[in-house]
Amino acid sequence: MSDGFSVRRTFAITRRELAGYFATPVAAVFIVIFLVLQGVLTFNLGGFFDRDQADLVPFFGFLPWVFVLLVPALTMRLWAEERRLGTIELLLTLPLRQSEAVVGKFLAAWAFCAIALALTFPFWITVNLLGHPDNATIACGYVGGLLVAGAFLAIGAAASAASKNQVIAFVLALVICFIFAAASYPLVTDFISRGSPALATFARRLSVIERFQSFTRGVIEARDLIYFVTFIGFWLFLNTVVVDHRKAD
Amino acid sequence: MAALIEIEGLTKRFGAFTAVDHVSFTVARGEVLGFLGPNGAGKSTTMRMLAGFVTPTAGGARVCGHDVQTDAVAARQNLGFLPEGAPTYPEMTVQGFLRFVAGIRGYAGRERSERVERAIGLTTLAEARLQPIETLSKGFKRRVGLAQALLHDPPVLVLDEPTDGLDPNQKHEVRGLITRMAKEKAIVISTHILEEVDAVCSRAIIIARGRVIADATPAELAQRHPSGKLDDVFRAMTEPKALAA
């Protein structure tokens, strides 16, 4: 193509998508359910008060699993809806690259997750009122949480491009997110190591949660950042390929 | 003068089914080409390939000299495309939607507002500008799709059933609009309304089962049947028994 990747066009897509979340009940429903789930899990199941420690360990412990459940609900419509409405034909015949549409949509969903995550600030205020937490560690946890959301969003966006049916897109994304979340748990590693122990170590390296845990301990390492960037990049690339092949089906 | 639309041996197969079979034609500036054919004849698929949405199995198309596959962004900058059914984002307002399209097309600031105003004026959408598109009638939705295609005043227009769902007055207006623009542009419209071909088209192509079976001016075509009516010609040429022969 004659011109390169355009950030301006990408952001035009992002703005439209993001406004779309707030023009429909999607935004309100998602944010309320996200906050309620995080609250119930952290305070009740996580024993936030009983632990008697000024940190957000239970909060961050449940966060990736809440994302596994909710992120596919957010992404299932990204491409499936465009195909159902036929607007994909309009969008992809505008003078833009398909990769710009893919990245633009992803960024909108990611920005939306960032907003939802930012609205968990009462947890942070609570823990600061009750004690003296290590706020740098908490900040690292939030950065990690945002990266986990990005990883799952990239999976969900690709799944949405693969099917016209939103239910299929949701289930597909949920299963793939779950596999990458659980890759370090005995449930998965035991199963794999029966066949090949080396593969189990590899699966552990690919685990999103394993990477996330070093963030929640207040450690941001270059290799973990590279992992997330590569992970998101891979799924967005796959997303672009799938859109290109299946757009007119 | 070089043709603004060049289509060469365009072919699309879906599995064993050939939707478009070696279609070739060119459209020059000043021409309005009526694209006729029964449902499923390959009209929309041809237009989708011309817009770069469907990838051809064989052959190719150029818009203003830009290949729609290898130089897609440049080709699309010169093209205004109304897809079949005029799809738009239902939750957006008319103005919001047109501003979005203008943004993608690279307009900013005052020029963006002017482009949107001009498109709203051309398609008489002023009264509906702040309404969400999903609340509009079918005729309004079609005009929003049309406004989007005209926004950047492109040299090439490809309109898939531009008057479908419009009332007689709106149809008349859209035909007037097409006729006024015809001089500076190359326009392709698909339609099932044969009187429309008489009214606006300088040339007509009939396509059936993916093949071009006629390419002439509407008047020439009409003479191919004793009655002298385009309707009769169309039916005689595209009826299953005529195609089987």
Side-chain angles (χ1 to χ4, degrees), chain B residues 134-152:
Chain B
E134 62 193 342
T135 66
L136 298 176
S137 68
K138 204 177 165 194
F140 268 104
K141 283 181 188 160
R142 181 79 31 164
R143 282 188 281 163
V144 175
L146 203 56
Q148 161 277 127
L150 299 175
L151 191 96
H152 51 301

Side-chain angles (χ1 to χ4, degrees), chain B residues 1-244:
Chain B
M1 179 185 250
L4 296 184
I5 300 174
E6 300 159 87
I7 292 182
E8 250 178 59
L10 209 56
T11 301
K12 181 65 189 181
R13 289 189 201 96
F14 295 103
F17 174 69
T18 306
V20 177
D21 194 0
H22 289 92
V23 167
S24 302
F25 61 83
T26 60
V27 186
R29 191 183 297 271
E31 275 193 296
V32 180
L33 175 68
F35 210 41
L36 315 175
N39 284 329
K43 295 189 301 290
S44 290
T45 306
T46 304
M47 290 175 133
R48 282 175 177 162
M49 285 193 277
L50 185 51
F53 182 64
V54 168
T55 311
T57 312
R62 282 190 296 277
V63 171
C64 294
H66 302 285
D67 189 286
V68 298
Q69 290 298 316
T70 58
D71 196 8
V73 172
R76 288 168 192 170
Q77 268 158 356
N78 289 298
L79 172 76
F81 178 50
L82 175 69
E84 186 181 21
T88 44
Y89 295 104
E91 81 281 359
M92 296 182 93
T93 64
V94 172
Q95 189 171 296
F97 173 69
L98 292 176
R99 284 188 67 81
F100 162 69
V101 173
I104 295 280
R105 289 204 173 273
Y107 301 115
R110 241 186 59 196
E111 193 182 12
R112 185 183 188 180
S113 308
E114 281 167 8
R115 291 273 169 182
V116 170
E117 283 316 305
R118 190 181 144 272
I120 285 177
L122 281 175
T123 49
T124 49
L125 280 167
E127 57 182 303
R129 71 166 68 220
L130 294 178
Q131 263 176 269
I133 294 171
E134 62 193 342
T135 66
L136 298 176
S137 68
K138 204 177 165 194
F140 268 104
K141 283 181 188 160
R142 181 79 31 164
R143 282 188 281 163
V144 175
L146 203 56
Q148 161 277 127
L150 299 175
L151 191 96
H152 51 301
D153 198 18
V156 173
L157 274 177
V158 176
L159 311 173
D160 201 344
E161 302 193 341
T163 59
D164 187 43
L166 301 185
D167 67 34
N169 293 333
Q170 295 166 339
K171 276 192 177 114
H172 181 78
E173 266 174 55
V174 169
R175 285 172 197 165
L177 181 63
I178 291 172
T179 309
R180 280 196 300 283
M181 293 186 301
K183 243 178 279 164
E184 300 103 57
K185 298 184 195 304
I187 303 176
V188 179
I189 62 168
S190 78
T191 180
H192 284 303
I193 310 160
L194 296 170
E195 61 185 71
E196 197 158 287
V197 179
D198 270 330
V200 301
C201 298
S202 59
R203 183 177 150 204
I205 281 182
I206 299 180
I207 181 171
R209 297 194 178 165
R211 288 166 186 264
V212 174
I213 55 172
D215 183 351
T217 66
E220 281 166 11
L221 272 182
Q223 279 164 15
R224 293 190 190 179
H225 193 273
S227 72
K229 281 186 188 157
L230 212 48
D231 268 47
D232 295 327
V233 178
F234 181 83
R235 226 170 306 136
M237 292 185 93
T238 59
E239 252 172 359
K241 63 169 187 271
L243 290 170

Side-chain angles (χ1 to χ4, degrees), chain A residues 61-234:
Chain A
F62 288 111
L63 187 64
W65 297 102
V66 170
F67 278 148
V68 165
L69 186 68
L70 289 185
V71 161
L74 197 63
T75 53
M76 65 181 188
R77 51 172 285 286
L78 270 185
W79 291 100
E81 177 92 340
E82 296 263 6
R83 287 195 249 171
R84 193 179 63 78
L85 292 171
T87 46
I88 189 163
E89 191 171 346
L90 177 97
L91 182 69
L92 297 183
T93 54
L94 288 172
L96 82 167
R97 289 166 156 254
Q98 274 160 30
S99 51
E100 290 162 5
V102 166
V103 174
K105 277 173 175 285
F106 167 76
L107 287 180
W110 209 11
F112 183 77
C113 276
I115 293 168
L117 204 53
L119 288 175
T120 61
F121 71 90
F123 291 94
W124 175 74
I125 291 176
T126 308
V127 81
N128 269 282
L129 286 176
L130 296 176
H132 301 282
D134 180 355
N135 279 320
T137 302
I138 291 176
C140 288
Y142 270 104
V143 169
L146 197 57
L147 289 171
V148 170
F152 290 163
L153 285 169
I155 292 173
S160 180
S163 175
K164 196 184 282 186
N165 186 314
Q166 299 204 12
V167 177
I168 292 174
F170 175 78
V171 173
L172 194 63
L174 188 75
V175 168
I176 300 172
C177 288
F178 179 80
I179 289 170
F180 277 102
S184 66
Y185 283 69
L187 172 76
V188 174
T189 47
D190 285 358
F191 177 75
I192 297 172
S193 60
R194 247 180 279 156
S196 141
L199 218 60
T201 319
F202 182 66
R204 185 180 281 269
R205 289 239 174 88
L206 275 183
S207 163
V208 168
I209 289 190
E210 185 99 337
R211 302 278 170 176
F212 175 59
Q213 274 161 358
S214 63
F215 284 90
T216 60
R217 286 190 293 267
V219 185
I220 298 184
E221 279 193 88
R223 58 177 186 172
D224 291 333
L225 289 176
I226 291 169
Y227 164 83
F228 277 110
V229 169
T230 313
F231 191 95
I232 291 169
F234 169 78

